[in-house]
Amino acid sequence: MKKLIAGNWKMNGSKAEAISLAQDLAALVKNDLDILQRADLLVCPPFLHIEAVQKAIGSSGLSAGVQDCAQNSNGAHTGDISASMIKDIGCEYVILGHSERRTNHQESDAVIAQKAIIAHENNLMTIICVGETEEERSQGREKDVIGLQLDQSIPEETAVENNIVIAYEPVWAIGTGKTASPEDVADMHAFIRAKLESRFTEGNTIRILYGGSMKPENAKALLSTPNVDGGLIGGASLKADQFIAIAKEA
Ligand code: PGA
């Protein structure tokens, strides 16, 4: 399966910084077009910078997506951005249910599933994030937690398998410099794969990304772990050379 290397820029950077990062990425990709044979490259800047980033990446082969969308189609929802608006400006991907949204905005699995339904109605690919906390792992409950998140945040609708990517991001590994060991990642990704296969006829075609302190130094080990079909990268996606170095390990 072709890997997906996705950068989650979170709430970082001015417009000028976003443009400069996107231009640097585009230049690095143009210098090494082989990368695009091995991996699809996606960057998810803050909403306000999307169009500037799209312009800066131009026809380099990188694509731009977003970090969230509204759970309603359109209308009186102050501050929200709808999936149809996201599609309208030419994005193909939306990250949903990132642990920072689950925590900071109390997003439940049900809300994430509802967002995914609206996103799929608008032909967006959803990257649905799941992850256990350190406490849940120390109690040995990580698979129960991930299993429940998968059951409840992936919506019940037809042809879901063609529209979703799963990102396994242990909460304790996000932005902390700690990563899950390749053995733990292999174990969890096999569990996620089995869940997807038991629910969907094409469950073996769904990409499962790993996220949480992925860096050029650990990317090779993580990306060569069975059932790891790419990465969702936060901190290291803000440095063009690091993001591309990770993509080269795909
Ligand atoms: P990190 O973030 O790479 O900085 O740990 C990953 C994420 O939150 O998606």
Side-chain angles (χ1 to χ4, degrees), residues 109-227:
D109 289 325
V111 164
I112 294 157
Q114 182 56 30
K115 289 183 173 193
I117 290 171
I118 306 277
H120 295 160
E121 281 171 7
N122 287 281
N123 297 315
L124 290 169
M125 278 292 277
T126 54
I127 301 177
I128 298 179
C129 303
V130 295
E132 82 285 359
T133 63
E134 192 151 37
E135 190 186 1
E136 288 160 345
R137 179 165 279 269
S138 70
Q139 294 166 346
R141 295 198 294 123
E142 65 276 11
K143 285 194 181 127
D144 296 343
V145 170
I146 301 300
L148 205 64
Q149 288 179 351
L150 290 170
D151 288 345
Q152 297 186 347
S153 50
I154 302 174
E156 296 291 340
E157 44 167 311
T158 51
V160 159
E161 53 257 72
N162 303 321
N163 298 324
I164 60 169
V165 172
I166 301 298
Y168 169 57
E169 299 202 301
V171 177
W172 48 271
I174 295 176
T176 57
K178 295 188 213 166
T179 41
S181 68
E183 295 72 32
D184 285 344
V185 173
D187 185 42
M188 185 59 87
H189 280 233
F191 170 76
I192 295 172
R193 175 70 65 212
K195 289 279 298 180
L196 294 173
E197 284 179 347
S198 73
R199 185 162 158 192
F200 303 111
T201 40
E202 291 177 60
N204 64 337
T205 65
I206 298 173
R207 291 199 273 207
I208 308 172
L209 313 184
Y210 170 80
S213 298
M214 195 185 274
K215 306 264 181 282
E217 308 82 68
N218 57 29
K220 189 175 192 150
L222 289 164
L223 291 171
S224 57
T225 299
N227 289 305

Side-chain angles (χ1 to χ4, degrees), residues 10-148:
K10 309 193 181 184
M11 195 174 70
N12 287 297
S14 64
K15 183 175 172 184
E17 284 164 342
I19 292 171
S20 152
L21 176 54
Q23 285 171 339
D24 290 350
L25 287 167
L28 287 168
V29 169
K30 276 192 191 131
N31 278 340
D32 189 354
L33 289 170
D34 266 7
I35 299 178
L36 296 173
Q37 304 300 318
R38 295 199 296 275
D40 292 326
L41 301 187
L42 171 72
V43 291
C44 299
F47 278 122
L48 282 176
H49 303 331
I50 294 285
E51 287 195 278
V53 166
Q54 284 173 324
K55 218 168 143 195
I57 56 183
S59 57
S60 62
L62 282 150
S63 58
V66 297
Q67 302 169 18
D68 181 40
C69 75
Q71 61 182 305
N72 300 98
S73 295
N74 273 302
H77 303 286
T78 303
D80 286 349
I81 307 276
S82 74
S84 64
M85 293 170 186
I86 293 163
K87 186 69 185 180
D88 186 46
I89 58 162
C91 292
E92 302 292 336
Y93 284 89
V94 53
I95 299 171
L96 292 179
H98 189 280
S99 78
E100 287 150 17
R101 296 212 55 91
R102 289 176 183 264
T103 306
N104 302 346
H105 298 273
Q106 291 78 44
E107 282 188 13
S108 64
D109 289 325
V111 164
I112 294 157
Q114 182 56 30
K115 289 183 173 193
I117 290 171
I118 306 277
H120 295 160
E121 281 171 7
N122 287 281
N123 297 315
L124 290 169
M125 278 292 277
T126 54
I127 301 177
I128 298 179
C129 303
V130 295
E132 82 285 359
T133 63
E134 192 151 37
E135 190 186 1
E136 288 160 345
R137 179 165 279 269
S138 70
Q139 294 166 346
R141 295 198 294 123
E142 65 276 11
K143 285 194 181 127
D144 296 343
V145 170
I146 301 300
L148 205 64

